[in-house]
Amino acid sequence: MSAREVVLGVGGGIAAYKACDLLRRLQDAGFGVTVVPTPSSLHFVGKATWEALSGRPVTTTVWERVDEVRHVHLASVSNFNIVAPATADLIARIAQGRADDLLTNTLLASTVPTLIVPAMHPAMWASSATQSNVSLLRSRGYIVMEPDRGRLTGKDVGVGRFPETARILEAFKEITERANDLSGVKILITAGGTREMIDPIRFIGNKSSGRQGYALAKAAMKRGAEVTLILANSSLPDLEGVTTIRVDSADEMYAQVSSRFLSCDLIAMSAAVADAKPAKFSESKIKKGALSAIELLPNKDIIATVAKEKKHQIVIAFAAETSLDISEAERKMMVKSADILYLNDVSGSEIFGSEQTQGVILTSDISGSIHHQKIDRTSKDTLSDLLLDQALSKLG
Ligand code: CTP
């Protein structure tokens, strides 16, 4: 199998016949394509056509070639998925996380970029159910194309037509280019919340779950970067393809970051670092009668300290605030020598531990002016790609 493997999922819509041309053009572009039709799509285009065109076996359920565990195998060898055409039902099933045929099983087991190409009657496309399923998929990082406007199967005209092959290939090209655009780039990411021990039982900590930095590490790794993740007190598992170093305190995190900073190209400091630590660690548990005030010592500002030494490094800092105070964010950018800062609105209790985020991306240009991009509620995965896009443009 080449490094350009595609799973082409075909849904049960009349546009299935147009996916034959898409398959051919993908092969022309050098992709190896395995077609996974839904059982109902075989009413429109039969298995024999797909096998002849792809030159590969074609199955539709998990009950064929069971010994191969095909959904897991396909999910692990595929570099990209395209679902074309995606019917309203198929979109709903993917959004729900259903796994009732080979295609939905494969997509559920897959972590690679997925392009969804809808085609259906305009009223079905416009329905609130489909639209909310599409938003949900987009929020999870799927790329869902807008269908074309034009004549449908019957006499109806509207938005719902399967896009021209050229437009699908263009959207796909963008995805494949992005897939390796960070190849050779060394990225250091911090995530989670540090803990400053008071005694063997108690600590000063914070609510960070580590999800934003984790999403960044995953996105950067998928785009070909060499990623080191310094993870503080997070229950999230190690990511395959990412070097994960686990730490507890701000001092430990500082040691890990400072020893690696000058050999990285980009640092994303998403960890919530405790600003202070107890002046004295008590080796034995402090009895409640003796617990009163805790004397604190300030911790090093990790990013501000290492970024002072920066050469070509691009610095992404984060600021979690309960109000979107832009001038405070701009001040932090200066203090931390950050090129990019994500001002995270954590008002309410919804952001910590959630897969969603909202806030503002601040970027500074060569002249020193600062630009703002408002981020409405979106997934931490999507935000990660936006931040990496910004960083990439600065890396040149
Ligand atoms: N940060 C750091 N070292 C610290 C504190 C924060 O490297 N000791 C980093 C964070 O990881 C983040 C950025 O600095 O990328 C901003 O963190 P934030 O907590 O918002 O800012 P503080 O400098 O701690 O300011 P304040 O708590 O007063 O808002």
Side-chain angles (χ1 to χ4, degrees):
M1 295 265 182
S2 67
R4 290 157 70 84
E5 277 297 317
V6 175
V7 163
L8 174 60
V10 180
I14 177 65
Y17 81 91
K18 297 187 178 173
C20 297
D21 182 43
L22 177 63
L23 163 59
R24 274 289 187 236
R25 301 290 80 81
L26 288 167
Q27 290 170 325
D28 291 347
F31 291 97
V33 185
T34 303
V35 184
V36 184
T38 62
S40 62
S41 76
L42 299 182
H43 290 295
F44 292 110
V45 179
K47 226 182 207 185
T49 303
W50 293 125
E51 288 194 335
L53 289 176
S54 69
R56 294 181 176 188
V58 169
T59 55
T60 61
T61 71
V62 288
W63 307 117
E64 299 150 278
R65 296 178 171 246
V66 177
D67 58 317
E68 289 178 9
V69 199
R70 262 173 89 69
H71 59 298
V72 177
H73 172 72
L74 288 171
S76 66
V77 296
S78 161
N79 304 111
F80 307 98
N81 305 312
I82 304 180
V83 182
T87 59
D89 175 67
L90 183 50
I91 287 174
R93 285 191 291 129
I94 304 169
Q96 288 271 307
R98 297 278 298 273
D100 45 12
D101 55 20
L102 179 62
L103 177 57
T104 47
N105 271 278
T106 305
L107 294 174
L108 202 55
S110 170
T111 54
V112 299
T114 299
L115 174 67
I116 294 185
V117 188
M120 68 196 75
H121 185 272
M124 293 168 82
W125 172 250
S127 84
S128 50
T130 303
Q131 286 304 310
S132 90
N133 287 331
V134 166
S135 314
L136 185 59
L137 288 176
R138 285 183 175 145
S139 78
R140 290 187 189 144
Y142 290 82
I143 298 101
V144 185
M145 287 184 73
E146 287 296 313
D148 273 358
R149 166 182 289 279
R151 192 160 149 231
L152 282 300
T153 324
K155 287 186 186 135
D156 292 347
V157 173
V159 178
R161 230 175 109 88
F162 190 67
E164 292 305 322
T165 308
R167 194 156 85 81
I168 301 172
L169 290 173
E170 213 173 283
F172 186 56
K173 190 164 167 251
E174 237 174 76
I175 295 168
T176 55
E177 280 173 358
R178 200 185 220 190
N180 259 323
D181 59 0
L182 291 172
S183 163
V185 178
K186 283 192 179 168
I187 303 189
L188 190 56
I189 298 170
T190 67
T194 66
R195 284 181 186 173
E196 312 305 317
M197 297 310 287
I198 300 167
D199 65 17
I201 293 157
R202 306 181 183 93
F203 58 81
I204 300 172
N206 60 69
K207 285 178 73 172
S208 172
S209 66
R211 283 181 197 281
Q212 182 58 70
Y214 197 76
L216 255 170
K218 198 168 59 173
M221 180 265 290
K222 279 189 185 174
R223 291 170 72 164
E226 193 182 307
V227 184
T228 301
L229 175 64
I230 314 233
L231 191 54
N233 305 299
S234 172
S235 56
L236 295 166
D238 284 10
L239 275 166
E240 207 181 311
V242 169
T243 305
T244 305
I245 297 163
R246 294 186 186 258
V247 296
D248 281 323
S249 65
D251 284 343
E252 282 171 33
M253 182 170 276
Y254 173 72
Q256 294 294 343
V257 171
S258 60
S259 64
R260 288 175 175 77
F261 177 69
L262 287 176
S263 55
C264 80
D265 303 303
L266 163 63
I267 183 168
M269 189 76 201
S270 73
V273 185
D275 291 314
K277 61 185 168 213
K280 200 172 122 287
F281 169 71
S282 166
E283 298 286 349
S284 53
K285 183 185 168 191
I286 305 171
K287 300 304 281 179
K288 68 180 166 202
L291 267 180
S292 52
I294 300 168
E295 195 195 329
L296 297 176
L297 283 178
N299 273 327
K300 266 207 172 75
D301 188 323
I302 302 176
I303 196 64
T305 311
V306 298
K308 273 199 193 105
E309 308 296 320
K310 78 174 178 183
K311 310 252 182 306
H312 69 289
Q313 285 81 8
I314 300 298
V315 174
I316 306 181
F318 289 75
E321 306 279 358
T322 44
S323 70
L324 285 182
D325 183 343
I326 299 282
S327 54
E328 166 64 2
E330 291 183 352
R331 185 195 66 79
K332 273 191 189 170
M333 252 180 119
M334 299 286 289
V335 175
K336 318 258 174 187
S337 310
D339 304 280
I340 300 166
L341 183 136
Y342 180 59
L343 171 58
N344 198 349
D345 179 2
V346 293
S347 53
S349 56
E350 289 169 20
I351 302 297
F352 289 116
S354 154
E355 296 295 345
Q356 303 282 311
T357 181
Q358 63 192 27
V360 181
I361 300 177
L362 289 87
T363 43
S364 64
D365 65 19
I366 306 169
S367 70
S369 329
I370 295 176
H371 305 269
H372 309 146
Q373 179 185 359
K374 187 162 186 291
I375 304 295
D376 290 328
R377 211 168 162 69
T378 189
S379 71
K380 290 181 177 175
D381 290 338
T382 304
L383 175 75
S384 301
D385 275 320
L386 292 173
L387 290 171
L388 291 171
D389 287 347
Q390 292 285 356
L392 185 64
S393 67
K394 291 184 181 301
L395 282 163

